[in-house]
Amino acid sequence: MPEVRKVAVSFAVNGEPRTVEAYPMARLLDVLRQDLLLTGTKEGCGEGECGACSVLIDGELVNSCLVPVAQAEGSRITTIEGIAGETLHAVQEAFVECGGAQCGICTPGMVLAAVTLVGRQSAQPTEDDIRNGLAGNLCRCTGYMRIFEAVLQACEKSVGAGA
Amino acid sequence: MQSDSMADRFIGKSIPRKEGRAKVTGRALYVDDMVMPGMLYGATVRSPVARGRIRGIRYAQGIPWDEFTIVTAQDIPGKNCVALMLNDQPCLADQVVNHAEEPVVLLAHPDRYLLEEARRAVELDIEPLPAVFTIDESLARQQVVWGEDNIFKSFLVESGDVESAWGHAHLIVEGEYETGAQEQLYIEPQGMIATFTAEQGLTVWGSMQCPYYVHRALMTLLDLPVNQVRVIQTETGGGFGGKEEYPSMIAGHAALLARKSGKPVKIVYDRMEDMAATTKRHPSRTRHRTAVTREGKLLAMDIEFVVDGGAYATLSPVVLSRGTIHAAGPYFCPNVRIRSQAVATNFPPHGAFRGFGAPQSIFALERQMDQVAKVLGLAPEELRRRNFVKQGETLAVGQVVREKVDMAGLMERALELSDYYAKRKRFAEENPRREVKKGIGLASFLHGAGFTGSGERYLASLVGAEATPEGRVRVLAASTEMGQGTMTVFSQIAAEALGVDYDMIEIVQPDTAVVPNSGPTVASRTCMVVGKLVESAVLGIRQQLLSSGLLPERYTSEQFRQACRQFIENHGALKSSSEYSAPPGVYWDDDKYRGDAYGAYAWAVYVAEVSVDLTTYEIRVDDFVAVQEVGRVINPVLATGQIEGGVAQGIGFALYENVVWQEGQMVNSQMTNYIMPTSADLPPIRVFFEEVPYAHGPGGAKGIGELPIDGPAPAIVNAIENAGGVNVNRIPVTPEVLMEALEGVHA
């Protein structure tokens, strides 16, 4: 069996260019957490079921535990650390206010899923839009109701801001 | 609904979660986010068989074993047990194994990939012994797998005389009900980091509910004095009981590896290991024999309640106790006998899970009530209405209900909010023409807050408070935040009691070197019991300021700050503490197993509406109404979130969450095939509170955390029967279970 060597992989994380030396099949999740110390991205299941490790790659919501780092070459990655600017993103604000976060471990992934959902809405999403948009992110604490409310509130604010 | 005391500044207000910003930005640090210089990773080699004798341990070739720290039972300096109740569970198996996944060998290495290879290269040579996998096998005692008789604990509750009642009965109804194991499935897996030095002793950081449980277990395991063990809780990603007792095990493992290697060691389970090896809700079987009068009054309830405790006792005796006391529900019945047992099998030990025995016995009772109603020809709500316990009446264990209770009122509200009567009528008319049948059902129940029986007296919890030189007030308690809102609610209680700004309150991170033992974060006790101690501890600070003359009777936050600063300048420190004492008149007799089982109960009526597809056997919950009385609600958003989350777990318990066992091993230990509800699966969960302030709770609050998982399963299964006319007596009602039940009906 040929020895697997580490390779250099370059991408942008939260707007900053980064290059890491990693095994090509290393999980993007591990590279983010261990090499780049971006520990806001969480591991819940390691098999793409729970969504705690959700990040955005070129604007698409993905489970970083299922992405070999080699596949991220040249991409733009956004993690939870890249969502707030000077102030919280409207989705984060709404999660705090509405009780969308309890234990917080699913929250980074859930916030990224919600940010994606809110960003794609031209109008107020229906309940089904929200349920389906978040169905890849599991939460054991909330029963999701406060999260739905947070998404609705964030949509109202961003639609209001855009108007 | 809000109560009248609107003068409150913080109690009753939905103040955002204290650590909310850290959580939504990803800055909150969980144990797996922490790294220490020179840190090793730890792994656990586990038994592949359910019961056997360990003949040997082989370390296969091809692994540089000399680079590894290897720990077995022989390396344990203290007592080889996870100190808890009966101290029967070894921290590492020695000579025998009693369940699959039982830990036998520990490994540590700096390279986690090589570590995983090494874990697979350890071969355990175990001679299998016959194992016990059912309650009946355990009770038959052909194999004695624990103690002398496979019984961890049994209880007998007797009030009146059940035997003499049967002869006077108008009707007698019998039923048998079963509930399955359920995985807590906190999204953050279990994890710990340990460091050990000869000078400083042992320090452990990790995800946990009960720092002082871990502290005691480590002292026992490593034979260390109190001041040589320090336990610090890191941000905890959900617990639900799953991080009540098991963290003592994993902390022990990390500690043993750290002690032997001299380096920091981190153990974090992956999902599969977490699901396969850690505790689950106790499976149960309940038999009911109920006698009723012609008027539909309960005359006698004879209940046999058995829970499967798995291979070691863990918390089974107290899980059984709570389940036993809740088995007769919120009803008055003159003759009650409850016989209960926790039995040993060769499954991984079952342990704490939200509700702690009550969801099991309440499922059985609330299904039984519907069966009794059916036989009597009464509506389910009418039978309940005729039998609800009232203020001044006595519950099965001899507890007089002193507080105001209005179960009939709660039920009317729940039935109205769910449009129960109209829907029941409409579904009955429409179902014959429908392929997908609709049904609606209810459950009425209670949940005791705080430790059962004398538990709170024995715990004698302690909370501290101190002022800082900046004039802020710090609350010191071992009660953990794991998502339920401890930090926020404690801050609200403290700020309200002191009449100062909410931001002036700090909640100190639970660290056994810093905080006193306020008891474990379990049993719906944190807000009601510990919160009351927080209130009195901070009032002690104010009292000292008043007595010293530094603070006027009426003051502003700024005056309070100034007074604290001045006091500390004058006296060096300003501290106060408060210890639990039982509310007046609350007494439990351990020997007779009678008395005031809980300081207070929360009361509730839940209504579920379901669709049952008779072609695919798929069941969907379409609407859910949860009405409860939990005393004063301290923080409506947090409280509502607790109820919604508990209902969601209860829906999972009722319909989806099926632990599949093969030879004592969980074979679906993945999120792919152990199904918990997603956002697409749940109905609207509509939550309503009646507020009746409890005299001995902080700001009038009672416990809330566990209550919501008691009601969903029976309400849903009662609704399934209403929809499909089928009597299902076990959960989870997977499509397979429903199919069997329906085919039984059709046969």
Side-chain angles (χ1 to χ4, degrees), chain B residues 78 107 135 284 303 367 447 494 497 553 572 601 607 617 631 661 664 690:
Chain B
L107 305 173
I135 284 173
S284 76
I303 305 169
R367 283 295 293 141
H447 198 95
E553 279 295 333
Y601 291 89
V607 181
Y617 303 109
W661 302 102
E690 291 284 343

Side-chain angles (χ1 to χ4, degrees), chain A residues 7-13 17-20 69-70 72-77:
Chain A
V7 297
V9 186
S10 299
F11 38 64
V13 183
R18 306 295 292 257
T19 299
V20 295
V69 68
E73 171 68 38
S75 65
R76 285 176 298 112
I77 300 169

Side-chain angles (χ1 to χ4, degrees), chain A residues 80-160:
Chain A
I80 187 68
E81 287 88 351
I83 294 300
E86 294 280 291
T87 56
L88 294 184
H89 186 283
V91 164
Q92 290 170 314
E93 203 71 71
F95 265 65
V96 174
E97 255 178 56
C98 302
Q102 285 191 24
C103 85
I105 196 80
C106 78
T107 307
M110 195 68 85
V111 165
L112 282 160
V115 165
T116 308
L117 181 66
V118 171
R120 290 205 176 140
Q121 298 300 318
S122 49
Q124 196 70 348
T126 65
E127 193 189 305
D128 269 359
D129 292 337
I130 299 176
R131 285 174 176 276
N132 294 329
L134 302 179
N137 292 74
L138 298 181
C139 172
R140 189 59 156 170
C141 293
T142 61
Y144 307 103
M145 301 296 135
R146 310 281 97 211
I147 294 173
F148 297 162
E149 206 174 296
V151 171
L152 281 173
Q153 184 176 311
C155 282
E156 274 164 27
K157 283 203 177 151
S158 44
V159 168

Side-chain angles (χ1 to χ4, degrees), chain B residues 417-419 423 623-628 644 684-688:
Chain B
L417 288 161
S418 58
D419 201 14
K423 281 184 173 165
D623 188 26
F624 201 97
V625 167
V627 177
Q628 47 259 305
E644 289 164 348
I685 301 169
R686 300 192 281 141
V687 177
F688 305 91

Side-chain angles (χ1 to χ4, degrees), chain A residues 11-126:
Chain A
F11 38 64
V13 183
N14 302 327
E16 272 183 54
R18 306 295 292 257
T19 299
V20 295
E21 293 282 324
Y23 293 111
M25 290 302 286
R27 305 184 303 174
L28 177 60
L29 170 65
D30 294 329
V31 172
L32 290 171
R33 287 179 53 82
Q34 288 159 31
D35 299 19
L36 301 176
L37 304 180
L38 294 168
T39 54
T41 305
K42 306 299 182 191
E43 174 165 2
C45 71
E47 56 174 352
E49 281 291 325
C50 77
C53 66
S54 299
V55 299
L56 304 179
I57 297 184
D58 295 331
E60 288 291 326
L61 187 70
V62 298
N63 292 317
S64 63
C65 74
L66 296 184
V67 178
V69 68
Q71 232 174 51
E73 171 68 38
S75 65
R76 285 176 298 112
I77 300 169
T78 307
T79 69
I80 187 68
E81 287 88 351
I83 294 300
E86 294 280 291
T87 56
L88 294 184
H89 186 283
V91 164
Q92 290 170 314
E93 203 71 71
F95 265 65
V96 174
E97 255 178 56
C98 302
Q102 285 191 24
C103 85
I105 196 80
C106 78
T107 307
M110 195 68 85
V111 165
L112 282 160
V115 165
T116 308
L117 181 66
V118 171
R120 290 205 176 140
Q121 298 300 318
S122 49
Q124 196 70 348
T126 65

Side-chain angles (χ1 to χ4, degrees), chain B residues 176-179 363 367 717 727-731 737 741:
Chain B
E176 182 175 311
Y177 308 92
E178 288 177 18
T179 63
F363 170 73
R367 283 295 293 141
V717 181
N727 179 3
V728 185
N729 54 19
R730 68 185 161 112
I731 51 172
V737 168

Side-chain angles (χ1 to χ4, degrees), chain B residues 30-41:
Chain B
Y30 299 78
V31 65
D32 200 22
D33 303 334
M34 293 171 58
V35 177
M36 296 198 178
M39 190 176 82
L40 309 180
Y41 295 93

